[in-house]
Amino acid sequence: MDDRNGTITNIIRERAKELLEKGEIAAFLGFTDGSLPMTTRPFVARSPKDAARLVWNDFCVMNLANYLPALLKSLEPKRGPKDPPPEGPLPRVGVLATGCWSRNMVVQMQENQLQRDRIYVIGIPSRGMVSRRKVQERFPGREILSVSEDGTDLVVEGKGLKERINRWEVVRDNCQTCVHPTPVISDEMLGEPVERAVTDRFRQVEEIESLSCNKRWAWFTEEISSCIRCYACRNACPLCYCPTCFVDDSRPQWVGKSIDSSDTALFHLLRAFHCAGRCTDCGSCESACPMGIRMRLLTKKLEKDVFELFGSEAGLDPNVPLPLTTYNQEDPEDFIITAGGDGA
Ligand code: SF4
Ligand code: SF4
Ligand code: SF4
């Protein structure tokens, strides 16, 4: 059996242990096993011994950039609001990065949430992560106890169950249309850069765009109808670091807290717009949703619009300003609706 993930796990453990032993980093952010089959959870190794708990597999779906700013802050010396900034270099963190996670780190740098010299990035060119939901759908009613990789297949095992399925078919939707699988920043790379020829990167959005206005609205309201407003999607997103999110504000209350359909629609639409020009389509929001809602398609639509209007993709270059924080005279403005104009 081809155990690529086992090999990568061993290298990660070894490198994290070395970096912690040498004092080059104060902590290492990666993954450990989750409490259920087909799950992992973010894990911070704070000692060389902890490094043995790190794992790498097809279900490392949470974007680690999400945890970096708070983790780095927690390692700084405690100080009051009037104390001067600490002198000397601050503790660094080692972190794993696929293509999209590294781009979210870049976005955090562009937004002054992260400093490059405080992270040691171990890049992993991504082959796409597997959707736990897609695997489960292949075996309705069966309890899956383990999934392992063998070449281009996954071997799915449970009580009275041992079957092979094609891995790519159960890779997450966002990974199937990913055009930047290789990390854009790294201090060392585990493996060769991956090239992926994707000719239809926006196909999932285009399917919905091709519908009439009424049918698009029907799609949207049906898609979000089971939302329980748990905010797991927001909490899993590295773009959502506002100290008080608009959904939690009560003065003013921008959006009601109920699961009334208009409140839920407003939450999803506003959150998607907050991510415009910043979203890397990492898919963490969708992977975190307990109800299987495909809210990622909203941010994907905005990714497409920003790409087509401004030729910009999030997180590719830390020295370029974010598209919606800058402008030039040539920016398109046909979408602005004016009284008496089209659409007025
Ligand atoms: S949804 Fe908007 S307000 Fe809330 S955390 Fe994300 S970016 Fe901030
Ligand atoms: S909105 Fe979703 S896909 Fe976009 S960066 Fe946040 S978690 Fe990733
Ligand atoms: S994670 Fe899913 S159920 Fe929870 S608020 Fe987001 S879309 Fe709704």
Side-chain angles (χ1 to χ4, degrees), residues 63 104 233 236-239 271 275 278-286 296 299:
N63 186 332
N104 275 106
C233 49
C237 175
L239 305 173
R271 195 187 93 79
C275 301
R278 308 162 66 221
C279 172
T280 63
D281 200 26
C282 75
S284 276
C285 46
E286 214 163 87
R296 201 198 105 251
T299 42

Side-chain angles (χ1 to χ4, degrees), residues 246-315:
F246 74 94
V247 295
D248 298 323
D249 246 339
S250 48
R251 283 190 189 176
Q253 187 177 60
W254 303 104
V255 50
K257 298 185 190 306
S258 73
I259 51 167
D260 178 86
S261 58
S262 58
D263 287 340
T264 303
L266 196 56
F267 159 60
H268 282 286
L269 293 174
L270 277 181
R271 195 187 93 79
F273 275 110
H274 285 192
C275 301
R278 308 162 66 221
C279 172
T280 63
D281 200 26
C282 75
S284 276
C285 46
E286 214 163 87
S287 295
C289 178
M291 307 307 289
I293 292 167
R294 295 175 301 160
M295 86 299 289
R296 201 198 105 251
L297 289 171
L298 301 177
T299 42
K300 189 78 183 166
K301 160 69 177 155
L302 290 165
E303 178 195 329
K304 178 174 183 280
D305 286 353
V306 169
F307 183 59
E308 289 173 353
L309 287 169
F310 305 109
S312 171
E313 293 182 86

Side-chain angles (χ1 to χ4, degrees), residues 7-36:
T7 307
I8 295 175
T9 296
N10 288 337
I11 300 173
I12 292 169
R13 287 177 181 173
E14 205 174 293
R15 289 297 295 131
K17 184 167 173 274
E18 275 170 12
L19 291 163
L20 286 160
E21 273 170 353
K22 286 183 186 158
E24 288 182 29
I25 55 171
F28 189 91
L29 177 57
F31 294 90
T32 195
D33 285 321
S35 50
L36 295 170

Side-chain angles (χ1 to χ4, degrees), residues 164-181:
R164 299 174 78 90
I165 55 174
N166 179 276
R167 181 181 183 279
W168 186 250
E169 287 173 6
V170 287
V171 159
R172 295 184 306 169
D173 289 350
N174 62 308
C175 298
Q176 287 187 344
T177 51
C178 168
V179 289
H180 300 292

Side-chain angles (χ1 to χ4, degrees), residues 323-334:
L324 300 190
T325 60
T326 185
Y327 79 98
N328 73 47
Q329 300 273 359
E330 311 307 319
D331 282 345
E333 54 184 34
D334 326 344

